[in-house]
Amino acid sequence: MLNLWNERQSAHQRQMFKYLRYVFNDHFVLALLFIFGGLGLGYSNYLKSLPLHADYFYAKPLVALILVVTLQVGNLATLLKSADIVFISPKQAEMPSYLNKAFNHSLLFAWGFDILVMLCLAPFLLYATTFTSIQLIYLGLVVLSLKYLLLKRQYLALYQHKFSQLSYKLLLDVFFSLLICLGALYFNGLYFVLITAALGIYVERMVKQIQTQEVFLWEVAIANEQARMLVLYRFFNLFTDVPFLQAAAKRRKYLDRFLPRPKPKHPYHYLYWRALVRNGEYSDLIIRLNLLGAIILYFVHEPWLAFLVSILFIYMLGFQLMALYRHFDEIVFTHLYPVTEKQKLQAFQRVLQVTLGISALLFAVINSLQTNTWLLGGEIAVVLFLEIIGLTGSYLKSRLGKRA
């Protein structure tokens, strides 16, 4: 089973690196540098405006809330597949060694993320509260211990159904974590380090006992892993095509009045709008990116950063929607239409321009509301419309030429 884990881990890492190459392309990396640079500069200026050890009343509850939210990031990665319930189930007695490897792998990545969060929160705690360096260390140890316990709860859920129930998730992952974080922030953190360490020892003994008494829940384990991978695939799908995603089509009859009617001379104009609205992959993508972009822009105060974020989200949306151009290529009847490739491209360009134009107007309005000036919104709208012209023009033709 250890060899199986090593093989699965190597295959999983190759797959993740393959998609990460598309995520961290030159444009996105450059945009991230500007975005994180701007956020870091704003955070630094905010900290400089605070008197040292000011002890603001909202600081500790805010940090506790942030820690509880970030603790939910990172789940147990078992890398199990659907066929394992048939081919590996006879080796159930050897599953603990496999799962221990999976747990250690998941814990390592989760701890890395939690350490980064603590490093980001450390300056705020030192400035906005009366925290000392040793208290920060205690709080960090408490956070790492809590993440260990949260992953162990997911481990236990592979053997007992009750640990998968929503009540257990809310009680252990949210309320218990919030209580411990608040305790470590308001009282001596060393006590809570010892409490979480003792709980970790108790839970470890419970796991070993349950493994010898309970049957491994293959269906639950496989379903959890598929749900975890689905989140990753949806993220990667923002940047490139992911064949593992199969979105279901929805009728959405209530939108028919807003869509163009079929015309014999422009069949693709009709087809592209229907696919954009009814296909869950594209409609969900549009909703997610617009919501995420609008939320980020609402909290951005620097005009240059607002420009950059708006340009980035329009680019991401346009880049991902380009896959819609070949959405009907597998249908043999579309090749019988008396429509030239130029007409097909023109229909797709119009659909893409309208879709991106609506998103550009949304971002411009959000910027205007956030800054209380329509001048910035108008400037952003002009820049975004110029970007849309470039995206749907020569850039679109070059991208489609590469895919041909």
Side-chain angles (χ1 to χ4, degrees):
M1 295 299 289
L2 294 181
N3 291 333
L4 177 63
W5 166 257
N6 292 331
E7 293 174 2
R8 292 275 174 91
Q9 184 183 22
S10 299
H12 178 72
Q13 289 175 346
R14 287 195 300 269
Q15 186 185 50
M16 293 299 102
F17 284 130
K18 171 188 172 183
Y19 286 117
L20 286 175
R21 286 185 302 165
Y22 296 104
V23 174
F24 294 103
N25 56 60
D26 296 339
H27 304 88
F28 191 60
V29 169
L30 184 62
L32 285 178
L33 288 175
F34 278 102
I35 291 174
F36 282 113
L39 293 175
L41 179 62
Y43 186 44
S44 175
N45 292 334
Y46 170 70
L47 292 176
K48 290 177 182 178
S49 67
L50 299 177
L52 189 62
H53 300 311
D55 200 17
Y56 290 99
F57 73 94
Y58 65 85
K60 291 180 179 179
L62 178 62
V63 169
L65 184 62
I66 293 173
L67 290 176
V68 171
V69 171
T70 54
L71 278 170
Q72 312 309 313
V73 178
N75 295 319
L76 180 62
T78 59
L79 305 184
L80 292 173
K81 302 181 183 298
S82 300
D84 292 343
I85 194 172
V86 176
F87 296 101
I88 305 181
S89 55
K91 294 187 176 182
Q92 180 169 313
E94 301 179 31
M95 280 303 295
S97 60
Y98 179 94
L99 293 175
N100 288 338
K101 280 283 188 178
F103 179 84
N104 293 334
H105 171 79
S106 305
L107 185 63
L108 183 63
F109 278 89
W111 275 358
F113 176 76
D114 292 332
I115 289 172
L116 287 177
V117 172
M118 281 300 304
L119 290 175
C120 293
L121 292 175
F124 177 73
L125 281 169
L126 291 175
Y127 274 88
T129 69
T130 56
F131 247 51
T132 62
S133 299
I134 190 65
Q135 288 176 305
L136 273 176
I137 294 174
Y138 289 152
L139 179 62
L141 292 175
V142 167
V143 170
L144 297 182
S145 300
L146 283 174
K147 190 59 190 182
Y148 175 89
L149 293 173
L150 264 59
L151 287 178
K152 280 297 181 182
R153 196 272 307 161
Q154 297 181 23
Y155 195 118
L156 289 169
L158 304 181
Y159 286 92
Q160 289 187 345
H161 283 288
K162 67 178 182 180
F163 290 102
S164 297
Q165 296 175 357
L166 181 61
S167 57
Y168 266 83
K169 292 180 181 180
L170 291 175
L171 179 63
L172 300 178
D173 294 6
V174 179
F175 294 113
F176 175 74
S177 299
L178 181 61
L179 181 64
I180 294 296
C181 287
L182 287 172
L185 285 164
Y186 282 99
F187 305 101
N188 191 338
L190 180 59
Y191 297 145
F192 293 90
V193 172
L194 296 175
I195 290 172
T196 52
L199 286 173
I201 295 172
Y202 171 75
V203 170
E204 184 63 32
R205 291 180 178 178
M206 182 191 299
V207 169
K208 292 181 178 179
Q209 182 179 4
I210 288 177
Q211 284 177 334
T212 59
Q213 297 175 352
E214 303 287 344
V215 177
F216 185 71
L217 304 175
W218 287 95
E219 295 86 354
V220 173
I222 293 171
N224 290 346
E225 181 62 17
Q226 289 176 342
R228 187 189 72 86
M229 291 302 300
L230 183 60
V231 174
L232 291 175
Y233 290 145
R234 283 178 174 169
F235 172 71
F236 293 143
N237 194 47
L238 298 176
F239 302 89
T240 186
D241 297 333
V242 179
F244 303 98
L245 285 178
Q246 295 181 351
K250 297 181 180 180
R251 175 68 177 87
R252 295 192 173 104
K253 187 177 181 180
Y254 56 90
L255 293 176
D256 285 352
R257 66 184 66 181
F258 304 105
L259 300 178
R261 296 185 179 276
K263 297 180 181 179
K265 293 184 178 180
H266 304 286
Y268 277 103
H269 192 240
Y270 172 83
L271 291 174
Y272 282 138
W273 274 117
R274 267 23 184 213
L276 193 68
V277 170
R278 295 176 181 175
N279 187 283
E281 179 181 348
Y282 299 113
S283 58
D284 292 349
L285 173 73
I286 294 171
I287 294 172
R288 287 198 305 269
L289 281 181
N290 278 302
L291 282 177
L292 182 60
I295 292 171
I296 293 176
L297 287 173
Y298 185 77
F299 292 100
V300 170
H301 299 279
E302 296 291 338
W304 66 269
L305 188 57
F307 269 95
L308 189 61
V309 171
S310 302
I311 292 171
L312 173 64
F313 273 87
I314 291 295
Y315 169 77
M316 291 170 60
L317 181 58
F319 178 83
Q320 193 56 38
L321 288 179
M322 288 178 187
L324 178 64
Y325 180 76
R326 305 197 183 280
H327 185 74
F328 299 99
D329 285 3
E330 300 297 325
I331 302 176
V332 66
F333 297 105
T334 59
H335 298 280
L336 302 178
Y337 292 160
V339 179
T340 64
E341 194 71 20
K342 182 179 179 181
Q343 290 174 308
K344 177 183 176 183
L345 178 61
Q346 289 174 345
F348 180 71
Q349 285 175 321
R350 286 196 297 271
V351 172
L352 193 59
Q353 286 168 355
V354 173
T355 304
L356 296 180
I358 294 173
S359 299
L361 287 176
L362 172 65
F363 293 160
V365 170
I366 293 295
N367 279 290
S368 299
L369 294 175
Q370 199 276 336
T371 58
N372 292 322
T373 172
W374 290 99
L375 179 60
L376 178 63
E379 293 173 350
I380 288 180
V382 171
V383 172
L384 293 182
F385 280 120
L386 291 175
E387 181 190 12
I388 291 170
I389 293 173
L391 279 175
T392 59
S394 57
Y395 183 78
L396 173 63
K397 294 177 182 178
S398 65
R399 290 294 307 179
L400 296 178
K402 290 179 181 179
R403 294 186 181 187

